[in-house]
Amino acid sequence: QVQLVESGGGLVQAGGSLRLSCATSGRTFSSRTVGWFRQAPGKEREFVAALSWSSANVAYADSVKGRFTISRDNAKMTVYLQMNMLKPEDTAVYYCAARPAFVRTTVGEYDYWGQGTQVTVSS
């Protein structure tokens, strides 16, 4: 069993930065890929970034490449999403999710989810 709790969301102006945290619990965390997804009102949940347990494999959505960075601290059982140069279109509820082994980019391939944290970027 893996539990995930997101934090760090908030209101920021366009061009600003936020760092989201995903605190996890469960003995298998260090062997799992953790991903970030987001869902804007009226839209489907979409992939943002994912990082393998060893940090050797990483994936980003094209829309966030060069602006967002995913990282993890296995000793703290926490995954981070550093978001820079934020845009109004980044406004969404951000979720972290976990899956066994390999990096994947689709919602259905993740089996544990957090409750989400709201990010709002004003223009």
PDB file of all heavy atoms in Angstrom, residues 4 6 22 33-37 95-99 110-114:
ATOM      1  N   LEU A   4      -0.111   8.871  -0.786  1.00  0.00           N
ATOM      2  CA  LEU A   4       0.546  10.066  -1.308  1.00  0.00           C
ATOM      3  C   LEU A   4      -0.234  11.311  -0.895  1.00  0.00           C
ATOM      4  O   LEU A   4      -1.473  11.320  -0.994  1.00  0.00           O
ATOM      5  CB  LEU A   4       0.635  10.013  -2.824  1.00  0.00           C
ATOM      6  CG  LEU A   4       1.285   8.763  -3.431  1.00  0.00           C
ATOM      7  CD1 LEU A   4       0.222   7.802  -3.952  1.00  0.00           C
ATOM      8  CD2 LEU A   4       2.223   9.140  -4.550  1.00  0.00           C
ATOM      9  N   GLU A   6      -0.092  15.514  -1.537  1.00  0.00           N
ATOM     10  CA  GLU A   6       0.517  16.663  -2.218  1.00  0.00           C
ATOM     11  C   GLU A   6       0.406  17.924  -1.362  1.00  0.00           C
ATOM     12  O   GLU A   6      -0.537  18.083  -0.586  1.00  0.00           O
ATOM     13  CB  GLU A   6      -0.174  16.922  -3.568  1.00  0.00           C
ATOM     14  CG  GLU A   6      -0.194  15.759  -4.528  1.00  0.00           C
ATOM     15  CD  GLU A   6      -1.460  14.920  -4.414  1.00  0.00           C
ATOM     16  OE1 GLU A   6      -2.090  14.947  -3.328  1.00  0.00           O
ATOM     17  OE2 GLU A   6      -1.828  14.257  -5.396  1.00  0.00           O
ATOM     18  N   CYS A  22       5.270  15.854  -2.874  1.00  0.00           N
ATOM     19  CA  CYS A  22       4.423  14.672  -2.762  1.00  0.00           C
ATOM     20  C   CYS A  22       5.040  13.784  -1.692  1.00  0.00           C
ATOM     21  O   CYS A  22       6.057  13.114  -1.946  1.00  0.00           O
ATOM     22  CB  CYS A  22       4.343  13.950  -4.098  1.00  0.00           C
ATOM     23  SG  CYS A  22       3.448  12.383  -4.050  1.00  0.00           S
ATOM     24  N   THR A  33       7.986   4.149  -9.586  1.00  0.00           N
ATOM     25  CA  THR A  33       7.973   5.396 -10.359  1.00  0.00           C
ATOM     26  C   THR A  33       6.893   6.307  -9.781  1.00  0.00           C
ATOM     27  O   THR A  33       5.803   5.844  -9.418  1.00  0.00           O
ATOM     28  CB  THR A  33       7.662   5.087 -11.832  1.00  0.00           C
ATOM     29  OG1 THR A  33       8.837   4.561 -12.457  1.00  0.00           O
ATOM     30  CG2 THR A  33       7.208   6.321 -12.595  1.00  0.00           C
ATOM     31  N   VAL A  34       7.191   7.591  -9.688  1.00  0.00           N
ATOM     32  CA  VAL A  34       6.199   8.570  -9.247  1.00  0.00           C
ATOM     33  C   VAL A  34       6.003   9.589 -10.351  1.00  0.00           C
ATOM     34  O   VAL A  34       6.974  10.074 -10.944  1.00  0.00           O
ATOM     35  CB  VAL A  34       6.625   9.262  -7.942  1.00  0.00           C
ATOM     36  CG1 VAL A  34       5.627  10.353  -7.575  1.00  0.00           C
ATOM     37  CG2 VAL A  34       6.713   8.237  -6.821  1.00  0.00           C
ATOM     38  N   GLY A  35       4.770   9.898 -10.628  1.00  0.00           N
ATOM     39  CA  GLY A  35       4.449  10.850 -11.669  1.00  0.00           C
ATOM     40  C   GLY A  35       3.591  11.984 -11.149  1.00  0.00           C
ATOM     41  O   GLY A  35       2.950  11.876 -10.100  1.00  0.00           O
ATOM     42  N   TRP A  36       3.621  13.092 -11.889  1.00  0.00           N
ATOM     43  CA  TRP A  36       2.731  14.217 -11.635  1.00  0.00           C
ATOM     44  C   TRP A  36       1.775  14.353 -12.819  1.00  0.00           C
ATOM     45  O   TRP A  36       2.210  14.258 -13.984  1.00  0.00           O
ATOM     46  CB  TRP A  36       3.519  15.519 -11.471  1.00  0.00           C
ATOM     47  CG  TRP A  36       4.236  15.645 -10.167  1.00  0.00           C
ATOM     48  CD1 TRP A  36       5.533  15.330  -9.912  1.00  0.00           C
ATOM     49  CD2 TRP A  36       3.687  16.123  -8.934  1.00  0.00           C
ATOM     50  NE1 TRP A  36       5.830  15.578  -8.600  1.00  0.00           N
ATOM     51  CE2 TRP A  36       4.723  16.073  -7.973  1.00  0.00           C
ATOM     52  CE3 TRP A  36       2.437  16.597  -8.547  1.00  0.00           C
ATOM     53  CZ2 TRP A  36       4.527  16.474  -6.645  1.00  0.00           C
ATOM     54  CZ3 TRP A  36       2.254  16.990  -7.236  1.00  0.00           C
ATOM     55  CH2 TRP A  36       3.288  16.922  -6.297  1.00  0.00           C
ATOM     56  N   PHE A  37       0.516  14.575 -12.496  1.00  0.00           N
ATOM     57  CA  PHE A  37      -0.523  14.804 -13.494  1.00  0.00           C
ATOM     58  C   PHE A  37      -1.268  16.074 -13.090  1.00  0.00           C
ATOM     59  O   PHE A  37      -1.149  16.544 -11.962  1.00  0.00           O
ATOM     60  CB  PHE A  37      -1.495  13.622 -13.530  1.00  0.00           C
ATOM     61  CG  PHE A  37      -0.885  12.347 -14.041  1.00  0.00           C
ATOM     62  CD1 PHE A  37      -0.055  11.582 -13.231  1.00  0.00           C
ATOM     63  CD2 PHE A  37      -1.124  11.916 -15.341  1.00  0.00           C
ATOM     64  CE1 PHE A  37       0.525  10.405 -13.699  1.00  0.00           C
ATOM     65  CE2 PHE A  37      -0.550  10.747 -15.818  1.00  0.00           C
ATOM     66  CZ  PHE A  37       0.268   9.996 -15.000  1.00  0.00           C
ATOM     67  N   TYR A  95      -1.844  16.379  -9.277  1.00  0.00           N
ATOM     68  CA  TYR A  95      -1.879  15.124  -8.540  1.00  0.00           C
ATOM     69  C   TYR A  95      -0.543  14.402  -8.688  1.00  0.00           C
ATOM     70  O   TYR A  95       0.038  14.401  -9.773  1.00  0.00           O
ATOM     71  CB  TYR A  95      -2.956  14.202  -9.099  1.00  0.00           C
ATOM     72  CG  TYR A  95      -4.363  14.740  -9.027  1.00  0.00           C
ATOM     73  CD1 TYR A  95      -4.874  15.511 -10.062  1.00  0.00           C
ATOM     74  CD2 TYR A  95      -5.184  14.455  -7.941  1.00  0.00           C
ATOM     75  CE1 TYR A  95      -6.169  16.007 -10.014  1.00  0.00           C
ATOM     76  CE2 TYR A  95      -6.477  14.931  -7.878  1.00  0.00           C
ATOM     77  CZ  TYR A  95      -6.966  15.703  -8.919  1.00  0.00           C
ATOM     78  OH  TYR A  95      -8.253  16.180  -8.856  1.00  0.00           O
ATOM     79  N   CYS A  96      -0.098  13.759  -7.620  1.00  0.00           N
ATOM     80  CA  CYS A  96       1.001  12.827  -7.778  1.00  0.00           C
ATOM     81  C   CYS A  96       0.431  11.409  -7.720  1.00  0.00           C
ATOM     82  O   CYS A  96      -0.629  11.164  -7.134  1.00  0.00           O
ATOM     83  CB  CYS A  96       2.105  13.027  -6.750  1.00  0.00           C
ATOM     84  SG  CYS A  96       1.645  12.731  -5.038  1.00  0.00           S
ATOM     85  N   ALA A  97       1.142  10.505  -8.364  1.00  0.00           N
ATOM     86  CA  ALA A  97       0.680   9.131  -8.483  1.00  0.00           C
ATOM     87  C   ALA A  97       1.880   8.201  -8.522  1.00  0.00           C
ATOM     88  O   ALA A  97       2.981   8.615  -8.903  1.00  0.00           O
ATOM     89  CB  ALA A  97      -0.163   8.970  -9.739  1.00  0.00           C
ATOM     90  N   ALA A  98       1.660   6.962  -8.136  1.00  0.00           N
ATOM     91  CA  ALA A  98       2.755   5.997  -8.093  1.00  0.00           C
ATOM     92  C   ALA A  98       2.374   4.730  -8.840  1.00  0.00           C
ATOM     93  O   ALA A  98       1.195   4.356  -8.906  1.00  0.00           O
ATOM     94  CB  ALA A  98       3.118   5.666  -6.645  1.00  0.00           C
ATOM     95  N   ARG A  99       3.400   4.104  -9.402  1.00  0.00           N
ATOM     96  CA  ARG A  99       3.211   2.830 -10.093  1.00  0.00           C
ATOM     97  C   ARG A  99       4.479   2.011  -9.910  1.00  0.00           C
ATOM     98  O   ARG A  99       5.542   2.564  -9.633  1.00  0.00           O
ATOM     99  CB  ARG A  99       2.932   3.048 -11.573  1.00  0.00           C
ATOM    100  CG  ARG A  99       4.128   3.531 -12.355  1.00  0.00           C
ATOM    101  CD  ARG A  99       3.819   3.627 -13.850  1.00  0.00           C
ATOM    102  NE  ARG A  99       3.179   2.447 -14.388  1.00  0.00           N
ATOM    103  CZ  ARG A  99       3.825   1.335 -14.727  1.00  0.00           C
ATOM    104  NH1 ARG A  99       5.134   1.254 -14.603  1.00  0.00           N
ATOM    105  NH2 ARG A  99       3.138   0.294 -15.196  1.00  0.00           N
ATOM    106  N   TYR A 110      -1.165   4.124 -13.507  1.00  0.00           N
ATOM    107  CA  TYR A 110      -0.779   4.462 -12.133  1.00  0.00           C
ATOM    108  C   TYR A 110      -1.850   3.929 -11.187  1.00  0.00           C
ATOM    109  O   TYR A 110      -3.048   4.140 -11.417  1.00  0.00           O
ATOM    110  CB  TYR A 110      -0.598   5.971 -11.983  1.00  0.00           C
ATOM    111  CG  TYR A 110       0.683   6.440 -12.622  1.00  0.00           C
ATOM    112  CD1 TYR A 110       0.789   6.548 -14.009  1.00  0.00           C
ATOM    113  CD2 TYR A 110       1.806   6.734 -11.859  1.00  0.00           C
ATOM    114  CE1 TYR A 110       1.983   6.935 -14.609  1.00  0.00           C
ATOM    115  CE2 TYR A 110       2.998   7.142 -12.449  1.00  0.00           C
ATOM    116  CZ  TYR A 110       3.076   7.233 -13.821  1.00  0.00           C
ATOM    117  OH  TYR A 110       4.249   7.619 -14.408  1.00  0.00           O
ATOM    118  N   ASP A 111      -1.434   3.297 -10.111  1.00  0.00           N
ATOM    119  CA  ASP A 111      -2.405   2.636  -9.252  1.00  0.00           C
ATOM    120  C   ASP A 111      -2.627   3.313  -7.904  1.00  0.00           C
ATOM    121  O   ASP A 111      -3.566   2.960  -7.189  1.00  0.00           O
ATOM    122  CB  ASP A 111      -2.045   1.154  -9.043  1.00  0.00           C
ATOM    123  CG  ASP A 111      -0.581   0.940  -8.719  1.00  0.00           C
ATOM    124  OD1 ASP A 111       0.152   1.928  -8.522  1.00  0.00           O
ATOM    125  OD2 ASP A 111      -0.167  -0.234  -8.634  1.00  0.00           O
ATOM    126  N   TYR A 112      -1.798   4.268  -7.530  1.00  0.00           N
ATOM    127  CA  TYR A 112      -2.015   5.015  -6.301  1.00  0.00           C
ATOM    128  C   TYR A 112      -1.988   6.503  -6.614  1.00  0.00           C
ATOM    129  O   TYR A 112      -1.109   6.968  -7.356  1.00  0.00           O
ATOM    130  CB  TYR A 112      -0.949   4.678  -5.253  1.00  0.00           C
ATOM    131  CG  TYR A 112      -1.016   3.258  -4.766  1.00  0.00           C
ATOM    132  CD1 TYR A 112      -0.129   2.305  -5.248  1.00  0.00           C
ATOM    133  CD2 TYR A 112      -1.971   2.870  -3.840  1.00  0.00           C
ATOM    134  CE1 TYR A 112      -0.187   0.995  -4.810  1.00  0.00           C
ATOM    135  CE2 TYR A 112      -2.039   1.561  -3.383  1.00  0.00           C
ATOM    136  CZ  TYR A 112      -1.147   0.627  -3.887  1.00  0.00           C
ATOM    137  OH  TYR A 112      -1.206  -0.667  -3.446  1.00  0.00           O
ATOM    138  N   TRP A 113      -2.920   7.237  -5.993  1.00  0.00           N
ATOM    139  CA  TRP A 113      -3.083   8.662  -6.285  1.00  0.00           C
ATOM    140  C   TRP A 113      -3.227   9.459  -5.003  1.00  0.00           C
ATOM    141  O   TRP A 113      -3.823   8.987  -4.019  1.00  0.00           O
ATOM    142  CB  TRP A 113      -4.324   8.895  -7.138  1.00  0.00           C
ATOM    143  CG  TRP A 113      -4.170   8.379  -8.525  1.00  0.00           C
ATOM    144  CD1 TRP A 113      -4.362   7.092  -8.949  1.00  0.00           C
ATOM    145  CD2 TRP A 113      -3.766   9.115  -9.675  1.00  0.00           C
ATOM    146  NE1 TRP A 113      -4.103   6.994 -10.298  1.00  0.00           N
ATOM    147  CE2 TRP A 113      -3.735   8.230 -10.761  1.00  0.00           C
ATOM    148  CE3 TRP A 113      -3.424  10.459  -9.895  1.00  0.00           C
ATOM    149  CZ2 TRP A 113      -3.385   8.629 -12.058  1.00  0.00           C
ATOM    150  CZ3 TRP A 113      -3.081  10.854 -11.163  1.00  0.00           C
ATOM    151  CH2 TRP A 113      -3.050   9.947 -12.235  1.00  0.00           C
ATOM    152  N   GLY A 114      -2.725  10.692  -5.034  1.00  0.00           N
ATOM    153  CA  GLY A 114      -2.976  11.633  -3.958  1.00  0.00           C
ATOM    154  C   GLY A 114      -4.278  12.368  -4.183  1.00  0.00           C
ATOM    155  O   GLY A 114      -4.977  12.141  -5.180  1.00  0.00           O
TER     156      GLY A 114
END
